[in-house]
Amino acid sequence: MERNHPGQQNGEKPRYIRLTPFGKWVSRKVRMLAEGGEDRRDDTGPVRQNGYLGNGAYATAAVAKLRHAVGREVGEDPEIFAWTMPPVDDADIAGNLAPYQNEPSPREQAAHAAITLFAVHQQSNHETSAHTDENVSLGRAVGRMAYGNLNESGIRSMFDRLQTAGSWKELVRHARGLITLLKRERIAINYGLLAQDLLALRGSRNQANVVRTRWGRDFQSAYHYQETSDAS
């Protein structure tokens, strides 16, 4: 069954979720990894790095390092900080770091998880980006993947375990399993939105329930859209 690019399906209109400065920063980081862009300036002016899609050596090495860091603690590999560490001088992005002098902040953990998961998603795919700027949550992408899939029950079970994970490490492990499946199907997600959602899941019970509810709605919406399209 051919799958359309998520977020661009005729007739399906996902509800728009506004990205926060933190979410926008994560989106810029993964977009830079995939597509490249101006990385820094030197004496001659802007220096452009080719992205992973353009087989850029720097991006390819970065994706490999980030992929190996998925599921590991923040700080275990300082070499990836250039990609995963929110700028400490921008409180809108990094948040209030004062309570977290001796441990990673929730935003640092969420950024680390989202960007390393992106690297798992993008690895070995030099044709299409694993990130989309469209409003494609993890729930929407998984719902599209589940319909017509021989492993639908396994996908649903993994999605349920992700949302009820009892620890951060368990949550990231289940997210990695789903991302690996999305990688096989070449279904992209919005990684800025994923970072925001992961951050909310570590917040209050109400914040976490808002994400779970939206993911559930997105899953059902995408699943039933695929079902209706197939029937017609």
Side-chain angles (χ1 to χ4, degrees):
M1 177 177 58
E2 183 178 354
R3 298 177 184 274
N4 297 320
H5 191 283
Q8 296 179 339
Q9 304 171 74
N10 293 332
E12 186 186 8
K13 298 182 183 298
R15 185 166 60 90
Y16 178 73
I17 301 296
R18 185 180 300 279
L19 291 183
T20 65
F22 171 68
K24 291 178 181 178
W25 178 82
V26 170
S27 288
R28 286 196 300 271
K29 282 294 184 179
V30 297
R31 197 183 304 113
M32 174 75 76
L33 281 167
E35 301 173 7
E38 184 181 328
D39 183 58
R40 65 183 189 280
R41 300 181 69 89
D42 62 16
D43 294 339
T44 62
V47 176
R48 178 180 173 81
Q49 296 281 1
N50 287 329
Y52 195 83
L53 300 180
N55 296 301
Y58 180 66
T60 299
V63 166
K65 290 179 182 178
L66 288 162
R67 181 171 58 87
H68 287 301
V70 69
R72 297 171 64 182
E73 297 290 335
V74 174
E76 283 191 42
D77 186 359
E79 287 190 65
I80 66 171
F81 281 170
W83 293 103
T84 62
M85 187 64 68
V88 297
D89 57 345
D90 191 330
D92 286 339
I93 297 174
N96 179 16
L97 296 174
Y100 307 102
Q101 294 301 312
N102 298 315
E103 60 182 337
S105 74
R107 295 194 191 197
E108 288 168 343
Q109 290 181 313
H112 174 94
I115 295 170
T116 56
L117 285 168
F118 164 80
V120 170
H121 200 166
Q122 188 66 60
Q123 191 248 346
S124 298
N125 178 5
H126 292 275
E127 298 174 358
T128 58
S129 177
H131 166 77
T132 175
D133 286 331
E134 299 289 333
N135 180 35
V136 183
S137 69
L138 184 60
R140 185 170 300 281
V142 173
R144 289 192 56 241
M145 176 172 64
Y147 176 74
N149 198 301
L150 293 176
N151 189 34
E152 179 178 334
S153 62
I155 292 170
R156 286 180 176 273
S157 178
M158 189 180 300
F159 187 55
D160 291 342
R161 291 197 300 273
L162 165 69
Q163 296 183 87
T164 58
S167 69
W168 178 251
K169 189 171 184 178
E170 183 184 357
L171 186 153
V172 173
R173 178 164 57 85
H174 292 313
R176 181 177 186 173
L178 287 168
I179 291 298
T180 300
L181 296 178
L182 290 171
K183 173 185 175 182
R184 294 175 187 172
E185 300 288 341
R186 294 288 179 94
I187 298 177
I189 67 173
N190 187 315
Y191 273 90
L193 181 55
L194 177 64
Q196 286 183 197
D197 289 344
L198 292 176
L199 180 62
L201 287 173
R202 291 185 58 82
S204 67
R205 176 177 296 184
N206 181 64
Q207 289 173 318
N209 284 341
V210 167
V211 172
R212 295 187 188 108
T213 300
R214 178 162 46 78
W215 278 2
R217 288 172 178 166
D218 287 351
F219 181 102
Q220 295 300 326
S221 174
Y223 185 95
H224 289 303
Y225 178 81
Q226 292 293 126
E227 187 177 36
T228 302
S229 297
D230 191 49
S232 62

